């Protein structure tokens, strides 16, 4: 007879526990799993009955983990990751010829998507599917083979490989290099609107207009004026439309610089920043030959990236 203490815990209850423990909120866990908060509470009670001990401390609207929950949570997360990886291996024959990549919308639209035609021409039978998402990918739930993340490259439980450094530089429409207020030196920016990239990344090394102007000893230009945008692609498009001068990420502006929609008016205007773009995937994940081929191709494309200025 099977020892009842050897029973596996209920899988749905474990999923509810993992989500609630990670978010420290039954309501947010319910939103993530598309169920009601009451359903989450019921699953947690079922798991606590199985464990014979409380897993959460209820404190008003918030919850805290008990010692038992804190000790078991890393193992539960690892178990789900292994189950997910097992599923991926089972699906490998059906996934053949398909590569799923997740990255931020601006990077997807301005850097990656314009290059995909070349990949498909040189890799017949392999399709790249791109998911544009601002959030960090949860590999235990998402279908992505790997992601391209913007940051420092340090992610718990994940492998990362540097794809591309990032620099910030002023860019504008070629039309702003002509006429009575033509941009020839940084001091000329006082005649033009400054466009600001207010993306949510927290990189202290990334200059804003005030620090960029200060580094070049420009004192008669107000670096705080001008409209602000919460995504890099919006800054690029506004600059290309001639609405002002953007302090832009080079990788996002590269295609428009190469095509001539944008120009970099200052030869010494670039600033290398700490953040960059990284290929990221779970440790222990089996990468198919198609995924490895895409990674090799995208790294080669990154190596060929160059700044086009004036």
């Amino acid at each position: 007879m099977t020892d009842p203490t050897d029973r596996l815990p209920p899988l749905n209850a474990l999923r509810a526990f993992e989500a609630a423990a990670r978010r420290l909120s039954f309501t947010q866990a319910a939103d993530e799993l598309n169920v009601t908060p009451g359903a989450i509470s019921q699953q947690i009670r079922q798991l606590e009955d199985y464990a014979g001990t409380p897993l959460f401390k209820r404190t008003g609207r918030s919850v805290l983990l008990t010692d038992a929950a804190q000790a078991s949570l890393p193992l539960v997360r690892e178990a789900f990751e292994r189950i997910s990886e097992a599923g991926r291996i089972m699906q490998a024959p059906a996934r053949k010829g398909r590569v799923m990549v997740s990255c931020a919308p601006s990077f997807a639209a301005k850097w990656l998507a314009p290059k995909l035609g070349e990949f498909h021409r040189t890799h017949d039978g392999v399709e790249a599917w791109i998911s544009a998402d601002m959030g960090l990918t949860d590999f235990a739930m998402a279908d992505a083979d790997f992601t391209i993340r913007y940051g420092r490259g340090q992610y718990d439980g994940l492998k990362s490989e540097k794809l591309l450094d990032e620099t910030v530089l002023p860019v504008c429409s070629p039309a702003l290099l002509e006429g009575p207020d033509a941009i020839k030196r940084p001091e000329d920016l006082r005649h033009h609107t400054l466009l600001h990239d207010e993306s949510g990344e927290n990189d202290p090394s990334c200059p804003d207009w005030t620090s960029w102007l200060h580094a070049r000893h420009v004192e008669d230009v107000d670096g705080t004026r001008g409209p602000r945008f919460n995504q890099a692609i919006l800054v690029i498009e506004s600059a290309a439309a001639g609405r002002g001068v953007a302090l832009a990420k080079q990788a996002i502006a590269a295609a428009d610089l190469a095509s001539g929609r944008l120009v970099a008016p200052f030869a010494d205007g670039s600033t290398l920043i700490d953040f960059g773009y990284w290929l990221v995937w779970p440790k222990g994940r089996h990468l198919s030959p198609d995924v490895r081929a895409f990674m090799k191709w995208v790294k080669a494309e990154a190596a060929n990236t160059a700044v086009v200025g004036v």
Side-chain angles (χ1 to χ4, degrees):
M1 181 178 294
T2 303
D3 187 338
T5 62
D6 290 337
R7 291 184 300 117
L8 288 174
L11 188 61
N12 286 340
L14 281 176
R15 173 61 81 186
F17 164 71
E18 190 279 331
R22 174 165 35 86
R23 295 180 175 273
L24 293 179
S25 168
F26 286 13
T27 300
Q28 292 182 26
D31 290 341
E32 178 181 317
L33 299 179
N34 295 315
V35 298
T36 65
I40 295 293
S41 296
Q42 184 178 3
Q43 296 283 5
I44 296 302
R45 284 195 298 271
Q46 182 182 4
L47 192 59
E48 288 177 331
D49 288 343
Y50 167 88
T53 187
L55 299 173
F56 291 91
K57 301 174 185 175
R58 281 75 168 178
T59 57
R61 294 187 176 182
S62 62
V63 294
L64 299 174
L65 301 182
T66 65
D67 290 344
Q70 290 184 22
S72 59
L73 179 58
L75 298 176
V76 171
R77 291 217 56 151
E78 182 181 354
F80 276 120
E81 290 169 0
R82 288 179 175 272
I83 291 172
S84 176
E85 185 61 19
R88 293 182 63 83
I89 293 173
M90 292 177 187
Q91 295 170 344
R95 295 173 65 92
K96 183 175 176 58
R98 187 180 72 184
V99 178
M100 296 285 290
V101 185
S102 174
C103 57
S106 292
F107 187 83
K110 285 295 187 181
W111 193 91
L112 184 56
K115 304 175 187 296
L116 286 179
E118 179 62 24
F119 173 78
H120 290 137
R121 280 191 294 272
T122 56
H123 295 77
D124 187 36
V126 181
E127 293 183 350
W129 293 14
I130 309 302
S131 174
D133 191 352
M134 289 297 294
L136 298 179
T137 300
D138 182 352
F139 284 102
M141 300 181 65
D143 195 31
D145 292 303
F146 70 96
T147 69
I148 301 175
R149 285 187 180 174
Y150 180 68
R152 297 184 187 276
Q154 300 170 349
Y155 308 104
D156 290 343
L158 302 174
K159 294 186 66 174
S160 59
E161 184 175 341
K162 187 70 165 286
L163 175 66
L164 194 65
D165 287 321
E166 185 57 287
T167 58
V168 172
L169 74 167
V171 298
C172 64
S173 165
L176 299 190
L177 303 186
E178 303 174 354
D181 293 328
I183 300 174
K184 299 184 183 301
R185 54 198 184 99
E187 288 77 9
D188 296 329
L189 292 172
R190 65 180 180 272
H191 302 300
H192 298 274
T193 300
L194 301 182
L195 307 174
H196 301 259
D197 182 352
E198 294 286 314
S199 302
E201 305 94 359
N202 184 24
D203 180 6
S205 73
C206 185
D208 57 14
W209 270 117
T210 298
S211 60
W212 188 92
L213 291 164
H214 179 74
R216 286 153 183 81
H217 310 290
V218 179
E219 299 180 354
D220 59 346
V221 178
D222 181 2
T224 64
R225 61 182 172 82
R228 285 158 169 76
F229 303 86
N230 70 345
Q231 289 199 31
I233 190 173
L234 301 178
V235 184
I236 296 299
E237 289 302 312
S238 186
R243 296 192 177 96
V245 185
L247 197 56
K249 296 181 179 69
Q250 184 272 329
I252 309 302
D256 291 307
L257 288 166
S259 70
R261 287 185 76 218
L262 291 175
V263 292
F266 310 119
D268 63 345
S270 300
T271 302
L272 181 66
I273 60 178
D274 291 344
F275 278 23
Y277 301 92
W278 297 79
L279 306 179
V280 181
W281 66 98
K283 293 179 179 178
R285 165 158 293 184
H286 169 73
L287 299 177
S288 71
D290 292 335
V291 173
R292 291 186 180 277
F294 188 90
M295 286 182 164
K296 181 178 179 180
W297 169 82
V298 80
K299 286 188 288 185
E301 288 295 317
N304 292 333
T305 298
V307 178
V308 180
V310 296

